[in-house]
Structures are given as C-alpha cells and as structure tokens.
Amino acid sequence: MKNQPPAGGRESRRPRSAELYERARRVIPGGVNSPVRAFRAVGGTPLFIARAAGAQVFDADGRAYLDFVGSWGPLVAGHAHPAVVAAVSEALARGMTYGAPCAAEVELAERVVAAYPAVEQARFVSSGTEAVMSAIRVARAFTGRDLIVKFAGCYHGHADHLLVAAGSGLATFGRPSSAGVPEAFTACTRVLPLDDEAAVAELFGREGARIAAVIIEPVPANHGLLPQRRAFLAALRALTHQHGALLIFDEVISGFRLGRGGAADRLGIAPDLATFGKVIGGGMPVGAFGGARVIMSRLAPDGDTYQAGTLSGNPVAMTAGLATLDLLSRESGWERLENRGAELEQLLAPVLAEARFPVHLVRVGSLFWLSFHADGAPRNADETARFAALFHALLDRGIYLPPSAYEACFLSLAHGSAELTQLAQALREALATIA
C-alpha cells in the first residue's frame, strides 16, 4: 500500500524531496546537476534518491519505485549488484585513485578490443562527452580535415561544437543550440536529417573533400528511441570510405548493452572509431573511445594529437566495468536482456492497444520508449502533456520512468517477470486516468 497515490499535492506526497530541492536551488543552478533531472518537462519536484538495490530506487521520503531509468543506462546489472559492489569495495581498499597506470585499465581495454569490431586500441576518459570530443579531435588529426557531420535527433554530449541545431535549407550549416557557444565553434559542423541518404550524398558531393568524420548514434536514444535502417548506416559506411572520411559510432548508450559488440556487431557494420560509456563503467563515471591502431597512434604520447585526463583509467571505475562485463559474460547477460525486452513487448502490447490515444512501444534489445505518435517522436503540446500526466500517474503507482517524453527507458538483469508484470499493470491503470 506504500506506493498508492496519497492525498494532497505532489510536494506534500514527498516532503523530504521538496525540502532538499528548495535547499538545492539556493546553492546549485536550477537545483540539479544535470538539467533533465529537474522535472521541468513533466512538472513537479524531482525525486531525491536515498538508496537503490536491484530494480528499485528509494526516495528521501522512504518510498520505493521500480526503476526504468537505471542512472540513464549504465546499470545493466541493476543497482548495487553484489558482485559489482564486492569488486568495487576491494578496489577502494587499495586506493581510490593513483594518477598512474594500473592493471585494471589494461584488462578493460583488452575486453573492449576483443569485443568490438575494428577497435584495435582504446583510451579511457571520464565521460561520454569527453570520449566523443576526443574521438572527433583524433579524426580531424588523422584526416587533416575540419568538417564534422552529425544528425538531427542524435546527442553526443555537450561539447561546444556538438551543441548544434540544423540550419535552414540545403546549406545544413549548424548553428549553436545553446547560449555561450560562439557561432565560430559550430562553423565546422554540418547537421543532416536522419535516414536521408540523398541529403548525405548531396553534402558529400559538395564538401566531401573537407569532411573529417560522420558521427551518428547507430541506435539514437536521446530524442526518443529512433531505430535506423541498416541500409542507411551502410550507406554512411560506403560514402565515408569513398570520400576518405571516418565513420564514428557513438555507442555511449548502446555499447555493451545491445550485445558484446554493441550495435556495430548487431548490425554487421564496423565504424572507424567508436565511443563508449555507461555500461563499461558499471555505474561509475567512465567513457572510452577506440579505433584502428593507425588512427589511435596519432594520440600523444606517440603522436601529435593531445588528449589527457587526470582521472582517466581510474582503478575503482575500471574495476566496476570489469565486474559488470564479467557478470554479463558469466550469466548470459546479453541473451537475458534481449529476452526481457521481448517479454516486455508481449506484456505491453494489449495494454497499449486499450489506450484512448495513440501510444506505442519502440524497443531495441533492452532499450524501450513509449512514443505518442505512430511514426516518430511526440510532436505537439498535447502529446507531451499526456506524457507528463502518464509520468506522474506511474510515479504514484511506484514506477519511475525518465522525466521526459523524449528519453529512452532501460531494462536490467534485475528486472524479472514480476517487475515487468508490475509495470504492465501500473501502465494499464495509469493510461485509464488520461483522456
């Protein structure tokens, strides 16, 4: 009964979270350290989490929620998995950071190289943003070119030259999508629509000799879950080869979640460079980028392209990543995650069919998303308002989804049949409350 909707407003339901949020707003911009956490897209006060275990998080008021955020993707084994916690505890006892090489970073790099197509060397950093920024730098150094091509609907972190919105018409010149980003920083970024081979071919025909790299999420998961046709990704592979540009797969979300070799292995398309994060950190702040030895050799100290990080290869973070990958291998983790996703799809199909407005499940492996439009992302205020209503109706029933209509949800090994059934039942009840 603890998670039944209580009487009163949202703040009165979670007074400790409300109190912490008010304190946070005085000392932290917006009261949060990452914007989507602020609940601005859905309204209300963000949950402050006190602890987590398995498939559940517990807020500061002691309420339990079945969690499908999973810290935005890294917790593929669930929260505080005993094997990961034990490995991290042992690593902590040996020291939190060295600022020097350690065996764990070698071992984790060996796992990445062995698993991912076309990666012969990898370098660790501390975030996905840093991984993408560094991959683009080495791509520019290797090709001797400046232009980068990205796609509307793909997110690659908050580096200045990637905070770009599409320009008008066929020019496709990127323009800053954030204050504080000079137009000069985005002048070398081109933005194209997803799934438009003609637009890519036109751009390469016009500027192919200046393009250093094309970067794409092979499974875009930050503006809704937008599965791409393999033929489109294969066309990117062919065009970049033809014009001497590099193809970068941003697998910060999909890497080591959709399979041992990420989306690249699943699709049978090998990029020149790939970026990673989330799962390989096992819940710790970790990113990585990798590619062929001839490309990666341009990095200092061997080459002329500078990249560095004081906490890169942190021994505790490396150990968390190793423990997570060990668990996935030992317990048939990728197969189990795929099966969980298929089971969820079966459970939700009749529930969504009963809804009084369009709502659809989009799924790729253990990633899923509720779309409020038959063929894409929510497109108008009514649809996003419905999501906000659905979000809070589910929250009141003990289900925690990402607080945005455009963010993907994540399954973990901790989500069993009972948890998926709980989601399906709560979703049926919540949808019945929304016009």
Side-chain angles (χ1 to χ4, degrees), residues 179-221:
V181 177
E183 289 191 5
F185 285 22
T186 61
C188 290
T189 304
R190 304 290 184 262
V191 185
L192 294 176
L194 281 165
D195 198 23
D196 189 337
E197 294 166 35
V200 181
E202 192 277 335
L203 178 64
F204 267 99
R206 179 160 40 86
E207 296 190 277
R210 300 178 58 207
I211 296 173
V214 173
I215 184 167
I216 189 171
E217 291 178 276
V219 181

Side-chain angles (χ1 to χ4, degrees), residues 5 8 62 230 236 256 267 274 286 290 316 331 334 409:
R230 186 189 181 282
L236 297 183
F256 295 91
L267 295 163
V286 177
V316 180
E331 299 190 5
W334 292 291
C409 303

Side-chain angles (χ1 to χ4, degrees), residues 78-168:
H79 291 278
H81 190 284
V84 179
V85 170
V88 167
S89 297
E90 291 177 13
L92 278 169
R94 296 191 294 267
M96 289 187 290
T97 182
Y98 309 140
C102 65
E105 63 188 310
V106 181
E107 294 171 16
L108 189 53
E110 289 172 341
R111 303 287 182 87
V112 172
V113 167
Y116 196 84
V119 167
E120 296 176 328
Q121 289 188 320
R123 179 166 283 184
F124 293 106
V125 291
S126 297
S127 71
T129 291
E130 195 179 348
V132 170
M133 179 184 72
S134 302
I136 286 176
R137 183 178 299 165
V138 76
R140 282 172 162 155
F142 181 75
T143 61
R145 303 172 179 179
D146 293 334
L147 298 189
I148 298 296
V149 181
K150 71 179 291 286
F151 295 89
C154 289
Y155 176 70
H156 305 292
H158 59 88
D160 283 349
H161 55 285
L162 292 171
L163 284 177
V164 182
S168 60

Side-chain angles (χ1 to χ4, degrees), residues 285-344:
V286 177
F289 63 104
R293 190 181 309 273
V294 67
I295 300 172
M296 298 297 286
S297 66
R298 291 299 298 264
L299 288 167
D302 289 343
D304 56 358
T305 307
Y306 191 73
Q307 183 276 330
T310 301
L311 296 179
S312 297
N314 175 270
V316 180
M318 298 291 98
T319 299
L322 284 168
T324 300
L325 295 184
D326 283 345
L327 179 69
L328 287 166
S329 297
R330 185 173 63 249
E331 299 190 5
S332 303
W334 292 291
E335 180 181 356
R336 287 172 58 197
L337 287 167
E338 182 66 43
N339 291 340
R340 288 286 182 269
E343 182 180 356
L344 178 68

Side-chain angles (χ1 to χ4, degrees), residues 367-391:
L367 290 162
F368 72 95
W369 176 55
L370 295 175
S371 169
F372 286 72
H373 194 277
D375 60 355
R379 297 178 184 181
N380 61 53
D382 287 343
E383 291 164 348
T384 52
R386 277 178 174 153
F387 176 81
L390 179 63
F391 172 84

